[in-house]
Amino acid sequence: MKIKYYFLTFLCVLCAALAQAQADIAVNEDAFLVQKAITVWGDETSSEKLMSAQCQAVRITPDWLLTAAHCVYDFCRNNQNCTVQVDVVSASQDDLAAQVRVRSGAQKKNVFIFPGYNPRQNRSSSFDVALIRLAPQERDWAFFAPRGGKRFSREQFEKQLDVYPESRAQWNAKRPRLLTFDAAVSARLTPAIAVPRVENGGVSWLYNAGGQAYFISELQHFVSTDFGVRQGNSGGGVFTADGQLVGVVSMSFTGKGNRMQFKDADGKAVSTLQNADAYFVFTGFTSAVSAFIRGHVPGVFSVGAVPQAAELTNEKFTRIIKTLDNAQAN
């Protein structure tokens, strides 16, 4: 009986410790309301079978969304005709929802993919980011009640927002601040990071409670200890827990033997992660990515992460990986 008692006591202490670790992270859920679910597909007039991609995006200004390039590449590259549907307001408790469809093509381009993006290589010149301009016609909006299917005009929808605070919060979500990084300097991100997901109106998230995330200049990417980010979060934001935008969820580039190789702009191998599934690798706002965003969205709100949210480090890639390995072991 004593053994059983001690074991149960140990479990209680362990559960309390885990609960305290969770409580120590003050996650600002309201800051994640800029996260939106998107669906992308090709030309609807095509005789081929209609394919689509389900992704996430972040509304960085009232008129612009940021997402992953691989979410739109197959459908929108080379000025192909494509459509992006955005759940601007997705209802859960509320009975209001708003969707908008954005069309892009050679005549009117509203989807912009990072120049030189290559989905088959981890090249530093091919960052996995894209921009979507919200420039729809009035007819491209849909305002409705998901449960009953009732349709509203925009005027009717906006009048009801005072009655539905959750929908109002999604509709009026404040734009996030982008944390930018000097591409020539490695740095450790000091706050914990969180990856939210919006689905059926609900916001959930994963976070790295250990706060172990580095921008590695040799890779031109962020590397963090793995904390469960998987398929379905592509194109969404990587935030600090209080809501500042650090980067964009990219895709997994693992190859044979669970290795992830990175290449420079000329295709030359820079470095390789040997146990890729032990890490979360994502695109941050380097000088190149920031210049791409500002070239289309001059009003985007950004600030240098150093020294506000990161500390510089002279450590090289291999040394940083050892640090992350030790963090996971502990």
Side-chain angles (χ1 to χ4, degrees), residues 19-98:
Q20 181 61 44
Q22 297 260 340
D24 288 342
I25 304 297
V27 177
N28 182 1
E29 182 178 350
D30 289 341
F32 300 155
L33 294 176
V34 291
Q35 183 102 345
K36 307 297 179 184
I38 66 171
T39 306
V40 190
W41 63 88
D43 188 350
E44 293 176 315
T45 63
S46 173
S47 58
E48 299 178 2
K49 183 180 179 180
L50 190 64
M51 303 294 288
S52 65
Q54 304 285 331
C55 280
Q56 302 273 300
V58 180
R59 197 173 186 180
I60 56 174
T61 74
D63 299 322
W64 288 90
L65 294 167
L66 180 68
T67 189
H70 77 265
C71 289
V72 297
Y73 182 81
D74 288 342
F75 308 100
C76 306
R77 70 181 186 275
N78 300 326
N79 295 327
Q80 295 174 187
N81 293 330
C82 65
T83 300
V84 181
Q85 180 173 283
V86 184
D87 294 340
V88 179
V89 175
S90 48
S92 56
Q93 300 299 320
D94 291 350
D95 276 333
L96 284 180

Side-chain angles (χ1 to χ4, degrees), residues 212-224:
Q212 294 290 338
Y214 287 82
F215 169 73
I216 302 180
S217 61
E218 297 140 289
L219 304 187
Q220 297 291 285
H221 287 280
F222 268 96
V223 177
S224 164

Side-chain angles (χ1 to χ4, degrees), residues 3-23:
I3 294 176
K4 183 176 181 181
Y5 171 77
Y6 289 141
F7 179 68
L8 290 174
T9 302
F10 169 75
L11 285 181
C12 291
V13 171
L14 179 61
C15 290
L18 290 174
Q20 181 61 44
Q22 297 260 340

Side-chain angles (χ1 to χ4, degrees), residues 25-311:
I25 304 297
V27 177
N28 182 1
E29 182 178 350
D30 289 341
F32 300 155
L33 294 176
V34 291
Q35 183 102 345
K36 307 297 179 184
I38 66 171
T39 306
V40 190
W41 63 88
D43 188 350
E44 293 176 315
T45 63
S46 173
S47 58
E48 299 178 2
K49 183 180 179 180
L50 190 64
M51 303 294 288
S52 65
Q54 304 285 331
C55 280
Q56 302 273 300
V58 180
R59 197 173 186 180
I60 56 174
T61 74
D63 299 322
W64 288 90
L65 294 167
L66 180 68
T67 189
H70 77 265
C71 289
V72 297
Y73 182 81
D74 288 342
F75 308 100
C76 306
R77 70 181 186 275
N78 300 326
N79 295 327
Q80 295 174 187
N81 293 330
C82 65
T83 300
V84 181
Q85 180 173 283
V86 184
D87 294 340
V88 179
V89 175
S90 48
S92 56
Q93 300 299 320
D94 291 350
D95 276 333
L96 284 180
Q99 284 181 341
V100 63
R101 290 185 177 182
V102 178
R103 293 173 174 82
S104 182
Q107 294 185 349
K108 188 175 182 181
K109 189 171 182 179
N110 288 315
V111 175
F112 303 86
I113 300 171
F114 188 89
Y117 168 72
N118 186 334
R120 291 171 293 279
Q121 295 188 63
N122 290 338
R123 298 172 59 169
S124 61
S125 61
S126 302
F127 295 107
D128 192 8
V129 291
L131 289 164
I132 302 165
R133 178 166 53 196
L134 292 178
Q137 302 295 322
E138 193 64 33
R139 60 181 172 80
D140 294 323
W141 283 95
F143 304 99
F144 55 95
R147 296 175 187 175
K150 185 178 179 180
R151 296 275 173 162
F152 305 108
S153 68
R154 184 175 190 137
E155 183 180 9
Q156 291 171 327
F157 171 84
E158 292 180 336
K159 282 183 177 180
Q160 294 184 78
L161 287 176
D162 287 338
V163 182
Y164 297 106
E166 185 176 321
S167 295
R168 184 176 68 245
Q170 291 186 42
W171 182 255
N172 297 319
K174 294 182 179 179
R175 60 182 179 172
R177 181 168 68 172
L178 280 59
L179 294 182
T180 60
F181 283 77
D182 185 339
V185 182
S186 293
R188 184 178 75 87
L189 190 66
T190 49
I193 55 175
V195 174
R197 183 174 181 177
V198 175
E199 196 169 30
N200 298 324
V203 180
S204 59
W205 60 85
L206 299 164
Y207 61 80
N208 186 348
Q212 294 290 338
Y214 287 82
F215 169 73
I216 302 180
S217 61
E218 297 140 289
L219 304 187
Q220 297 291 285
H221 287 280
F222 268 96
V223 177
S224 164
T225 49
D226 177 61
F227 56 102
V229 180
R230 293 293 180 266
Q231 186 175 359
N233 281 108
S234 288
V238 181
F239 295 80
T240 62
D242 62 359
Q244 299 180 96
L245 190 61
V246 178
V248 178
V249 178
S250 185
M251 62 196 302
S252 173
F253 292 98
T254 53
K256 293 182 179 179
N258 191 27
R259 293 191 299 270
M260 183 186 297
Q261 187 179 73
F262 292 86
K263 300 181 180 181
D264 62 19
D266 297 321
K268 181 181 177 181
V270 176
S271 52
T272 301
L273 285 173
Q274 297 298 331
N275 300 303
D277 60 3
Y279 308 98
F280 171 47
V281 181
F282 61 94
T283 298
F285 303 119
T286 64
S287 53
V289 173
S290 296
F292 165 68
I293 295 173
R294 289 196 187 99
H296 295 286
V297 195
V300 69
F301 185 23
S302 64
V303 64
V306 181
Q308 283 89 348
E311 59 184 22

Side-chain angles (χ1 to χ4, degrees), residues 301-322:
F301 185 23
S302 64
V303 64
V306 181
Q308 283 89 348
E311 59 184 22
L312 300 179
T313 175
N314 292 322
E315 294 180 350
K316 298 297 183 181
F317 169 70
T318 53
R319 180 71 177 176
I320 291 173
I321 293 304
K322 287 182 180 179

